[in-house]
């Protein structure tokens, strides 16, 4: 049933990264690393994406954006935090406008460390993410709506639930 | 002069020549020696002075004198190399090879046997290899 | 039959007089229903009775002499009316046109040489029957619609003086004039009815008596009078060169001898007159201006029937235009108008304006068909007339009803109409689909026309159609797309039952016409073509027509099934994509100031490309050039 | 008759495979032209399967309904063509097909889809004249609009229709959604309208659209082939070769040009249609 | 390391705008505006103007609750700098051509650069 | 009868790698109003001076941006060097120059690629990034990082480039130059590309000054300003001409940047030829006190660095005014009346770097 591992499409969002990780993500799609070998397409549209790559930490403004994009992605989906900033906030974690890593707003499946994360690490991360799909889709009928998995702190869950659109299935 | 399809030559050349793509995950990548991948501790000379901890910009290193451990969060380290520069004992080095992506942010902890109060110019006591580098769960 | 036709023409005129006296709204409504039914009944009876015989009928009305004299007198009355009105509005110059033509015609009639060949004044054939049915059924439908519409109209436009008695009276008068027009064989009679319709149109355009309306009404008047002058001149030529004012005789002679002895001149002049009536460039301005009139008059006069008088006349004389300069003038003017009007329609956001341009454009196509004047093009023209009349009338009514309910007829305000007013939206969508989608009637006709043009052969017309179809598609599609989409539910629909009655009647008529296209072709259009040309072939092979019919059903059945499928699929609602700035309800997003801002999605109007400011003048000049050049050639060639 | 039914059934069954394979070849070749290794040629099928396996999110229910209709009518168009029916009718139905796609995307009230929709309409307005002219060209060359009659000619139609062929290949660039005219759906590269007309199509819906596009590929290449097919059996081989060559040309154009704006597209396309189609048309009519 | 125009010219508030206007008239472009909050009492606002390779720095010293006149009506591009200063430092800039109302960066904290001293 | 639509452009938008939001009010596809909004990347790292000591700040500042990272580190170090009156050894100056130009190369190539992507020329994008990888390899070999280098320290540099390495780099750059010539020709000559660049986004000379444009943006409007001419680092010893263009449009900006690519190679060539053999750094003793402004020419234009030190290990204030910040007003200006299809392109022609802008 699971066919995503052959065609994982990804969406990249630059949280508050310094561009370092950003351009490395882009570099992955270019000739030298060419992730399209694995069927990866950089879609740019959450509705078409399976893997969500976030670079950079979370700040006041982009928290909402990240949550919204996450919610617009159909199941099954995985989230990759690319770079030290996205993992923990990195060197900026003490800045007044940085809440921390991506996991402060949405559940993160794979952390890819590095400042900047190397294309090789990103590829490794994607490969690991793809392996996760096997488990994810086994989790029963994914046509069912599921709330954001609650493996994070309660506070996170609340905020995420707040942006969930209403209305279940028809 | 404007031409149409002026990229044709390059495109066709690319088409017939070998692609620039590496075969990375299938063949390991060879990093240049200077590559700043991750920080390693040679625990022999370390005196747990904490200099590295204080100088680390993101605060990735935790030095616990009492517990005798030196720990680094690979998911927090930005490979800046400042700790390496600052360490009085020059027991840190930054080497190629990145911290692996994983689904948990693990901390590498190294047990460091601190030699008895150092006598100047004395050789440190016989080192006990601190092999315990098993990752511990952080969160 | 003679008597029946007389009644058909006279009854509406009598009714008009009665309506003029009724001031009570209820009574007017009831009378309209009653009279409407009578007229429709008469029209159908005439059609059925005629069909029983199924052959061309030439006849005279009883007491033709009296009629002749009456018409003579009435022509002067008409002239005086025009003079009075135009002088009153300080546009006296217009009356010159009226005086010249009336004097010309009546002068010839009274003092001119005796006619060599006198024939019957009336003629009935398939084309007349088609027209009678259109006027009788489509027209009456609009009349019934008008009862409800005008009520709503005056609620909305309290500033407009309530002159409904006048309105309905003119409407009925118009029915009569139209019936007369399509059955007359005598050019002088035809000319008279023609003038009556012009005046009716003029009066209805000026209904609201605002400055704009008055100006536009006079614009319509002078342009139509110019056309009238064309007929008057044609009559004059016919008088002097042919010695007959029998339309059919003139056509026959001209088609036999071509451009010898100046025989083509009356044909070209009639064609010219038809161009004005059918609002071809450069005369399109009046039809656009006419959109200030209340919608029923737009539906009745300015799309379904009166403007059809122009193309009707052209189809009548088509055979005489086959392959000569007069024909070239007509088909070039038509093709050019078809293309330009469809291009101009793109830049319009006012629903009625779009319909107006589309009307001009489609009339252009019919004109083009007539100008080519071959069997196939006439086949196509006949179908275009039928489908256009039904569809356009329905759409005008629908836009009018939408305006009454929402207070706007701007296409942008029709966002999500399908949710807000499902019934109106259905009519509108059916109309739009009918206008350009495969496999609806208009498209089949257009297809036939295209094929006919290829066979003609006329490269320029083929190109006009190829490009014009593309632009047509653009403006319809964007309107269609607007209707779907999200909108607020449960808005109040003030459309009255009688309006819906008429609209749904039209919808059913449309569907019947589409599905019975092969039958209409065999029973009506082909015999007509055969009668005119001696033989007939349908422009499109029968197998194709049947496939089309099957497709029509498919286009209703398949979406029905898929709709069911789509509904049964489980899904989860999701926000529309707005770059992560959606505030959650698909209507607002987080703007640059950090606040919620309403999203707006509008259609394209391509003003820099196809705007009126940019293209209207060139289109006018193009039309003028075509007419001047070819009229010059025709007249010059004869001299 | 039997033969026709077989062709139609073959079309309905095989077209997705051919279309998908073409898509795969396209992606592979494009990647190679860009100096990359690229995905496997079967990648489009993996993608399709995955899309069907995804959760179905929907912005507006109307959309799915329109998308299914889009697919079905696309198949009908292709089937009509391969059944040897009237070419002009195929084209007319084709524009109805595009209508459904447009309605599908416009039903969502999404800013990006809306711009995509309008560009799609603009594209339609641009290529429609040439499409109609192509059908007319065939009629003039062979005396029939019917595909079954056209393929019975003893000379390939291309001899009479070089201008139409050029024009048609030109507009194929638009229909195949290739640079420089990939304006409304943004198949390749990143575009200001995100995914344009397909931006709100999620999972299965997007899969259906893709499927319809594959059918369209085959249908359009079929028309390219029609320029060459005649009563000589070898011509079929030639037709297939030419269709592939045309496809390759489109890939090459895609990879060697920037995306132009619709203004330029519209202007160029009409001019080319007018010149290629118009001149050839004049000549043909003169010859008649 | 050579850098032209290192000197910082201290200006009084009333001569400030005329000076800026003069620069503008002489076709200097606005290099930057920088605010610093020192000693918990004063803002140091530095304006740099550049022409070709030259640079001139003007310095205003502003008390905590004092106001600074905006130069955004002279230099359009000052808008971003001034809004930034207002949002991050709480510097009162009056008469700005476009006032973002502290929504330039839309941060959670108010005036993060002067927090410690104020609270 | 043009009707208005509103498009929320961004923050997440595939055509822009970085989040920036624009409210675009459109008539058909013509932009009648464009309101930018930033703050999606704002971190507030300038405030870190209160928490990190001035040496650590060198590592923080180079993470302002991963594209122009090197010069941020260098710019910050220069301010402190200036405050403390440190003489940076010449070799370090030369190495800095070489790395600066390599940064410019990589940044401009990156930009060319993104520009190609914005006008939908995927193959060209790939080609540019393919070439760019070679520079990243050089960076990695010389500094140990592909995009963040961590080689600057107060008083000099941390790593040396031995002569063999420099010679090797030069050889590789020569090879690159050939490939680049071919690829950049496409930008300059291709019909479709030109149709997207010529006459798009006109910024006149006067507007450029009024909007405070800097860098290639300004030079493409015919103003000859290049901070490298002030002679910091080793530029005083290097002979080069400032590249300008009078076209004032996107094509001009592209032209200028392409010119600078080749110029950078030339500068590196000169620097390698002249590099002296000295120490790599001088020791900084004590804490700085005072303030200093420094201006450098980043790939995107002139950047201001400012530090104000008070004699403790923490600075009072550190500020970076980045070129993109200065170019934003120009962006707003050129967006007016543009076509929607050109919006990404116009955003890209200022070569935006939002992370620099917002810090
Ligand atoms: N060049 C550069 Fe920066 C700096 N400073 C700029 O805006 O890129 Ni990230
Ligand atoms: S991890 Fe490093 S390179 Fe990546 S975004 Fe953060 S600071 Fe930049
Ligand atoms: S690694 Fe070096 S600096 Fe760190 S605690 Fe050990 S000796 Fe001290
Ligand atoms: S390399 Fe930098 S970030 Fe990593 S541990 Fe050392 S000082 Fe900390």
């Amino acid at each position: 049933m699971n066919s995503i591992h052959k065609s994982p499409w990804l969406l990249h969002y630059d949280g508050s990264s310094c561009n370092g990780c950003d351009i490395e993500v882009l570099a992955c799609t270019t000739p030298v690393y060419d992730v399209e070998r694995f069927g990866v397409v950089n879609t740019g549209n959450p509705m078409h994406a399976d893997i969500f790559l976030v670079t950079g930490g979370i700040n006041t403004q982009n928290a909402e954006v990240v949550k919204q994009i996450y919610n617009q992605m159909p199941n099954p989906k995985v989230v990759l935090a690319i770079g030290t900033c996205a993992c923990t906030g990195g060197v900026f974690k003490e800045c007044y406008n940085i809440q921390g890593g991506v996991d402060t707003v949405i559940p993160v499946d794979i952390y890819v460390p590095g400042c900047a994360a190397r294309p090789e690490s990103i590829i490794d991360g994607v490969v690991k993410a793809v392996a996760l799909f096997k488990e994810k889709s086994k989790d029963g009928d994914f046509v069912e709506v599921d709330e954001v998995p609650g493996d994070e702190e309660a506070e996170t869950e609340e905020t995420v639930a707040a942006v969930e659109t209403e209305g279940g299935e028809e | 002069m404007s031409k149409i399809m002026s990229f044709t030559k390059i495109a066709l050349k690319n088409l017939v020549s070998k692609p620039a793509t590496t075969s990375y995950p299938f063949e390991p990548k060879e990093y240049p020696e200077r590559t700043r991948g991750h920080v390693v501790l040679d625990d022999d000379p370390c005196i747990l002075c904490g200099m590295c901890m204080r100088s680390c910009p993101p605060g990735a290193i935790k030095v616990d004198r009492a517990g005798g451990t030196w720990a680094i969060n690979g998911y927090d380290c930005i490979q800046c190399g400042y700790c390496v520069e600052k360490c009085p004992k020059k027991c840190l080095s930054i080497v190629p090879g990145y911290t692996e992506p994983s689904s948990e942010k693990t901390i590498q902890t190294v047990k460091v046997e601190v030699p008895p109060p150092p006598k100047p110019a004395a050789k440190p006591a016989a080192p006990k290899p601190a092999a315990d580098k098993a990752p511990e769960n952080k969160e | 039959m003679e008597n029946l036709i007389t009644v058909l023409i006279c009854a509406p005129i009598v009714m008009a007089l009665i309506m003029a006296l009724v001031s009570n709204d209820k009574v007017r409504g009831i009378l309209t229903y009653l009279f409407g039914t009578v007229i429709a009944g008469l029209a159908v009876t005439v059609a059925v009775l005629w069909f029983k015989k199924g052959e061309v009928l030439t006849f005279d009305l009883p007491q033709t002499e009296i009629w002749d004299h009456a018409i003579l007198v009435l022509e002067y009355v008409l002239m005086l009316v025009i003079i009075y009105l135009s002088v009153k509005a300080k546009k006296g110059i217009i009356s010159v046109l009226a005086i010249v033509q009336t004097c010309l015609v009546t002068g010839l009639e009274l003092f001119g040489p005796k006619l060599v060949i006198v024939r019957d004044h009336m003629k009935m054939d398939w084309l007349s029957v088609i027209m009678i049915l259109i006027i009788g059924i489509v027209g009456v439908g609009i009349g019934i619609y008008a009862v409800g519409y005008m009520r709503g109209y005056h609620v909305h436009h309290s500033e407009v003086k309530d002159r409904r008695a006048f309105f309905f009276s003119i409407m009925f008068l118009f029915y009569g004039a139209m019936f007369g027009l399509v059955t007359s064989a005598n050019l002088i009679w035809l000319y008279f009815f023609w003038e009556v319709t012009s005046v009716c149109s003029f009066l209805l355009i000026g209904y609201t008596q605002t400055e704009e309306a008055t100006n536009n009404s006079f614009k319509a008047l002078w342009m139509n009078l110019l056309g009238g002058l064309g007929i008057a001149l044609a009559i004059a030529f016919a008088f002097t060169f042919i010695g007959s004012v029998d339309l059919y005789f003139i056509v026959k002679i001209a088609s036999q001898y071509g451009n010898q002895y100046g025989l083509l001149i009356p044909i070209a002049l009639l064609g010219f007159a038809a161009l004005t009536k059918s609002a071809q460039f450069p005369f399109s301005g009046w039809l656009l201006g006419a959109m200030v009139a209340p919608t029923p008059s737009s539906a009745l006069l300015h799309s379904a029937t009166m403007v059809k008088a122009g193309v009707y006349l052209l189809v009548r004389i088509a055979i005489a235009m086959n392959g000569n300069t007069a024909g070239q003038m007509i088909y070039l003017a038509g093709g050019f108008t078809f293309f330009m009007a469809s291009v101009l329609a793109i830049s319009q956001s006012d629903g009625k304006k779009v319909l107006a341009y589309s009307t001009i454009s489609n009339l252009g196509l019919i004109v083009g068909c007539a100008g080519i004047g071959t069997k196939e093009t006439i086949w196509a023209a006949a179908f275009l007339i039928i489908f256009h009349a039904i569809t356009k009338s329905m759409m005008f009514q629908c836009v009018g009803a939408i305006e009454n309910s929402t207070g706007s007829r701007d296409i942008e305000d029709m966002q999500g109409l399908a949710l807000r007013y499902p019934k109106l939206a259905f009519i509108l969508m059916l109309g739009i689909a009918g206008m350009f989608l495969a496999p609806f009637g208009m498209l089949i006709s257009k297809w036939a026309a295209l094929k006919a043009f290829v066979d003609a052969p006329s490269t320029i017309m083929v190109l006009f159609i190829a490009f014009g179809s593309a632009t047509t598609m653009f403006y319809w599609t964007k309107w269609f797309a607007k209707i779907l989409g999200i909108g607020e539910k449960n808005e109040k629909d003030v459309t009255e039952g009688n309006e819906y009655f008429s609209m749904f009647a039209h919808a059913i008529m449309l569907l019947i016409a589409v599905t019975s296209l092969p039958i209409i072709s065999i029973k009506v259009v082909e015999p007509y073509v055969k009668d005119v040309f001696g033989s007939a072939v349908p422009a499109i092979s029968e197998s194709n027509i049947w496939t089309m019919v099957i497709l029509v059903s498919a286009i209703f059945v398949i979406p029905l099934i898929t709709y069911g499928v789509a509904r049964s699929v489980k899904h989860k609602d999701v926000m529309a994509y707005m770059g992560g700035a959606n505030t959650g309800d698909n209507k607002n997003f987080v703007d640059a100031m950090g606040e919620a801002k309403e999203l707006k999605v509008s259609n394209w109007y391509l003003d820099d490309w196809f705007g009126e400011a940019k293209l209207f003048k060139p289109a006018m000049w193009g039309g003028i050039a075509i007419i001047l050049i070819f009229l010059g050639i025709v007249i010059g060639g004869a001299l | 008759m039997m033969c026709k039914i077989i062709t139609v059934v073959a079309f309905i069954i095989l077209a997705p495979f051919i279309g998908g394979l073409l898509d795969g070849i396209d992606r592979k070749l494009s990647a190679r032209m860009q100096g990359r290794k690229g995905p496997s040629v079967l990648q489009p099928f993996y993608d399709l399967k995955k899309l069907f396996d995804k959760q179905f999110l929907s912005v507006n229910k109307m959309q799915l309904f329109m998308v299914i209709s889009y697919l079905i009518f696309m198949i009908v168009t292709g089937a009509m063509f391969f059944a040897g029916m009237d070419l002009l009718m195929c084209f007319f139905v084709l524009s109805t097909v595009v209508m459904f796609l447009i309605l599908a995307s416009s039903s969502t009230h999404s800013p990006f889809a809306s711009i995509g929709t309008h560009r799609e309409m603009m594209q339609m307005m641009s290529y429609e004249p040439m499409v109609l002219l192509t059908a007319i060209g065939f009629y003039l060359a062979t005396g029939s609009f019917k595909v079954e009659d056209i393929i019975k000619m003893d000379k390939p139609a291309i001899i009479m229709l070089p201008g139409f062929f050029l024009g048609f290949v030109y507009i194929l660039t638009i229909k195949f959604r290739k640079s420089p005219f990939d304006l409304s759906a943004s198949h390749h590269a990143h575009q200001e309208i995100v995914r344009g007309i397909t931006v709100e199509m999620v999972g299965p819906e997007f899969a259906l659209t893709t499927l319809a596009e594959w059918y369209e590929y085959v249908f359009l290449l079929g028309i390219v082939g029609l320029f060459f097919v005649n009563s000589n059996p070898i011509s079929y081989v030639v037709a297939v070769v030419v269709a592939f060559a045309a496809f390759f040309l489109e890939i090459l154009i895609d990879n060697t040009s920037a995306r132009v704006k619709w203004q330029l597209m519209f202007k160029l396309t009409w001019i080319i249609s007018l010149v290629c189609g118009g001149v050839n048309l004049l000549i043909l009519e003169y010859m008649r | 390391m050579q850098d032209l125009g290192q000197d910082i010219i201290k200006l009084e508030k009333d001569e400030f705008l005329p000076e800026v206007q003069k620069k503008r008239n002489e076709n200097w472009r606005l290099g930057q505006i920088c605010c610093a909050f020192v000693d918990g009492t004063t803002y140091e606002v530095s304006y740099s103007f550049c022409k070709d390779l030259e640079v001139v720095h003007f310095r205003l010293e502003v008390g905590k609750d004092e106001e600074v006149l905006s130069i955004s009506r002279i230099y359009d591009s000052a808008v971003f700098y001034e809004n930034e200063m207002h949002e991050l430092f709480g510097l009162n800039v009056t008469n700005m051509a476009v006032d973002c109302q502290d929504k330039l960066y839309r941060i959670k904290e108010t005036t993060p650069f002067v927090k410690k001293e104020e609270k | 009868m043009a009707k208005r639509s509103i498009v929320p452009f961004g923050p997440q938008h595939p055509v822009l790698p970085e989040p920036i939001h624009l409210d675009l009010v459109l008539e058909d596809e013509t932009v009648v109003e464009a309101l930018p909004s930033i703050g999606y990347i704002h971190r507030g790292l300038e405030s870190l001076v209160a928490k990190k000591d001035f040496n650590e700040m060198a590592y923080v500042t180079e993470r302002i941006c991963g594209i122009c990272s090197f010069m941020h580190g260098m710019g910050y170090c220069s301010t402190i060097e200036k405050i403390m009156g440190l003489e940076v050894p010449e070799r370090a100056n030369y190495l800095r120059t070489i790395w600066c130009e390599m940064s410019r190369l990589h940044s401009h190539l990156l930009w060319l690629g993104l520009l190609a992507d914005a006008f939908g020329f995927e193959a060209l994008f790939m080609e540019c990034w393919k070439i760019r990888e070679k520079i990243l390899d050089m960076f990695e070999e010389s500094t140990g990082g592909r995009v963040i280098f961590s080689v600057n320290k107060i008083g000099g540099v941390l790593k040396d480039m031995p002569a063999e390495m420099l010679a090797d780099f030069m050889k590789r750059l020569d090879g690159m130059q050939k490939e680049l010539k071919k690829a950049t020709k496409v930008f300059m000559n291709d019909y479709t590309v030109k149709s997207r660049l010529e006459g798009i986004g006109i910024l006149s000379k006067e507007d450029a000054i009024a909007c405070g444009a800097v860098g290639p943006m300004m030079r493409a409007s015919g103003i000859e300003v290049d901070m490298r001419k002030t002679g910091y680092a080793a530029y005083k010893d290097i002979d080069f001409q400032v590249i300008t263009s009078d076209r004032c449009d996107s094509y001009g900006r592209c032209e200028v940047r392409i010119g600078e690519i080749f110029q950078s190679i030339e500068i590196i060539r000169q620097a390698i030829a002249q590099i002296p053999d000295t120490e790599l750094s001088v020791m900084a003793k004590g804490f700085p006190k005072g303030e200093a402004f420094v201006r450098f020419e980043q790939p995107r234009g002139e950047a201001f660095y400012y530090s104000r030190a008070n004699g403790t290990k923490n600075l009072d204030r550190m500020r970076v005014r980045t070129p993109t910040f200065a170019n934003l007003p120009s962006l707003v200006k050129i967006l007016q009346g543009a076509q929607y299809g050109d919006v990404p392109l116009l955003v890209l022609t200022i070569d935006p770097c939002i992370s620099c802008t917002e810090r």
Side-chain angles (χ1 to χ4, degrees), chain C residues 244-298:
Chain C
S244 167
V245 288
D246 184 329
L247 177 60
Y248 299 88
F249 183 70
I250 297 170
V251 169
K252 202 167 164 214
I253 296 269
S255 65
Q256 269 166 16
Y257 295 99
N259 199 10
Q260 293 168 37
Y261 324 113
L263 288 178
L264 213 49
I265 296 176
I267 296 291
L269 286 170
L270 287 177
F272 168 80
L275 291 185
T276 64
K277 197 74 159 180
S278 289
Q280 301 298 289
F281 279 114
F283 306 111
S284 302
W286 76 261
L287 185 67
L288 297 166
M291 292 301 123
V292 297
T295 302
S297 68
S298 307

Side-chain angles (χ1 to χ4, degrees), chain A residues 1 3 7 36 50 75 142, chain D residues 36 38 47 50 53-55:
Chain A
M1 192 55 189
S3 48
S7 134
E36 210 190 342
D50 309 304
N75 275 340
F142 50 75
Chain D
R36 298 185 284 128
D47 290 352
K50 180 212 56 185
D53 283 352
K54 290 284 280 189
Q55 181 189 22

Side-chain angles (χ1 to χ4, degrees), chain B residues 41 46-52 63 70 87-89 91-92:
Chain B
L41 171 74
C46 178
I47 51 173
L48 292 182
C49 67
M51 198 59 211
C52 48
V63 177
W70 180 97
C87 174
K89 288 288 172 192
C91 54
L92 290 174

Side-chain angles (χ1 to χ4, degrees), chain B residues 57-78:
Chain B
I61 301 178
K62 289 277 167 304
V63 177
D64 183 358
R65 269 200 104 114
T69 56
W70 180 97
I72 182 167
N73 182 349
Y75 296 84
D76 220 355
C77 168
I78 57 170

Side-chain angles (χ1 to χ4, degrees), chain A residues 14 16-22 55-57 82-86 89-92 113-117, chain B residues 77-79, chain F residues 43 62-66 147-148:
Chain A
D14 175 352
S16 61
S17 103
C18 77
N19 269 344
C21 291
D22 235 35
T55 53
I82 305 286
T84 307
C85 287
V91 64
F92 306 119
C115 178
Chain B
C77 168
I78 57 170
Q79 299 102 34
Chain F
R43 292 152 285 182
E62 66 178 3
R63 283 168 176 79
I64 290 175
C65 174
V147 291
I148 305 270

Side-chain angles (χ1 to χ4, degrees), chain B residues 114-133:
Chain B
V114 188
K119 288 170 220 151
K123 269 197 169 182
K128 268 197 178 176
D132 181 18
K133 288 188 181 178

Side-chain angles (χ1 to χ4, degrees), chain D residues 41 79 88 92 99 147 209 215 218 247 261 281 285-287:
Chain D
V41 273
L88 199 53
F92 282 139
M99 264 287 297
V147 175
T209 321
Y215 276 107
V218 176
F247 191 68
K261 279 176 291 182
L281 187 69
E285 291 204 334
Y286 182 76
M287 276 172 27

